[in-house]
Amino acid sequence: MTFLIISPLFISIFFLSFSFLLVLKRHNQAYFICYKTGANIQNTLREHLQKLTSMNTQARILRIKRKIAELRYHSALASLDPVNILQARKRLQKVKFEQQSFSNKQERILKQAQISFQTQWKTFKLKSKKYIYNVKKTFHLQPLAVRKKPAESDSPGYVPVEGFSEKQKIKISWRMNGFALIPQKLQEHLGLKGISDHHCSVSLEDLTGGFQMKLMK
């Protein structure tokens, strides 16, 4: 008789313990895949970022060439020599073409970064379906937290924006039901409410030695 009385209690304790372990496992799995995905995305973006900023020296050289070509062109105009003017104009047009071609390369890097971001995000959403739902991402700038310098140039350099780490940060948020595998009636009987909100953030730091990964809450 005593066993019959206390057996429901033992069963309830067993299921509560099982539920707690299940919640802990799913919680850890969700955070693991969140940080792993954020780190993978930022690592890919870092490669694009380093490639883009490494082009700044070449961009500066092209700006200097443009300034020299413009000075020579204006000097040629003042000379009133048609041959001199034609040659100076051709040199200036050549530099402008080089700047446009160079700028297109910079834009392609930015576009590639965006494509990489979206591809990895879609993969994350697909892999995480078994753990979490209502997945969202938030970030300030896309795909890279950089600005043109000088902004008006045809071949600008790209530098990190002010507050780079915060602007580069990717925040992934989600909801999860830790007791999803437990039958609904048993959840109600035990008074289990497993739906909760979570998030993780990953960014980069602009350090002297380069851009480094930064895990955030």
Side-chain angles (χ1 to χ4, degrees):
M1 180 65 70
T2 302
F3 176 75
L4 293 176
I5 294 175
I6 65 175
S7 59
L9 177 62
F10 281 118
I11 292 174
S12 297
I13 292 174
F14 170 77
F15 275 109
L16 282 173
S17 300
F18 173 76
S19 300
F20 174 77
L21 291 175
L22 182 62
V23 169
L24 185 61
K25 179 182 178 181
R26 292 170 66 85
H27 178 275
N28 290 339
Q29 287 173 326
Y31 272 90
F32 173 77
I33 194 172
C34 178
Y35 278 114
K36 182 179 179 181
T37 298
N40 287 340
I41 290 175
Q42 290 289 13
N43 189 52
T44 300
L45 293 180
R46 175 171 58 185
E47 292 176 4
H48 293 299
L49 186 59
Q50 290 174 334
K51 186 175 182 180
L52 185 66
T53 55
S54 70
M55 299 170 69
N56 286 347
T57 299
Q58 189 177 352
R60 183 166 58 253
I61 291 173
L62 285 173
R63 292 197 299 273
I64 293 173
K65 287 178 64 176
R66 170 73 173 268
K67 188 172 183 179
I68 293 173
E70 288 176 340
L71 289 173
R72 287 178 175 175
Y73 177 63
H74 290 302
S75 177
L77 289 176
S79 72
L80 300 178
D81 182 345
V83 176
N84 193 17
I85 292 173
L86 180 61
Q87 291 177 342
R89 182 185 296 117
K90 286 182 177 181
R91 284 195 293 267
L92 178 57
Q93 289 175 339
K94 181 182 177 182
V95 174
K96 287 182 177 180
F97 176 80
E98 290 175 349
Q99 284 187 298
Q100 184 59 54
S101 178
F102 184 80
S103 179
N104 290 340
K105 291 180 181 179
Q106 293 173 310
E107 292 295 331
R108 280 197 294 271
I109 292 174
L110 292 170
K111 185 63 177 179
Q112 289 166 0
Q114 177 65 25
I115 293 173
S116 298
F117 183 105
Q118 294 299 338
T119 299
Q120 290 182 289
W121 176 250
K122 289 178 181 178
T123 300
F124 165 69
K125 291 189 71 175
L126 184 63
K127 288 184 176 180
S128 64
K129 288 170 73 173
K130 66 174 74 173
Y131 306 116
I132 59 183
Y133 64 96
N134 197 30
V135 183
K136 298 179 181 178
K137 65 180 183 300
T138 56
F139 48 91
H140 292 275
L141 300 173
Q142 57 176 335
L144 304 174
V146 293
R147 63 182 178 85
K148 294 180 178 181
K149 183 181 180 181
E152 70 281 359
S153 174
D154 288 337
S155 58
Y158 281 86
V159 297
V161 299
E162 186 176 352
F164 172 77
S165 288
E166 187 63 29
K167 298 294 176 59
Q168 182 67 26
K169 180 179 72 176
I170 300 171
K171 179 180 178 181
I172 301 174
S173 59
W174 70 91
R175 306 193 78 191
M176 63 184 297
N177 182 357
F179 305 118
L181 298 181
I182 299 177
Q184 184 63 37
K185 289 186 178 181
L186 184 57
Q187 290 187 45
E188 295 174 356
H189 177 70
L190 296 176
L192 303 177
K193 296 180 180 180
I195 297 178
S196 53
D197 297 306
H198 305 269
H199 75 269
C200 82
S201 299
V202 183
S203 188
L204 296 173
E205 285 186 288
D206 180 20
L207 302 178
T208 304
F211 299 98
Q212 301 298 323
M213 198 72 65
K214 182 179 182 180
L215 302 183
M216 308 168 75
K217 293 183 179 180

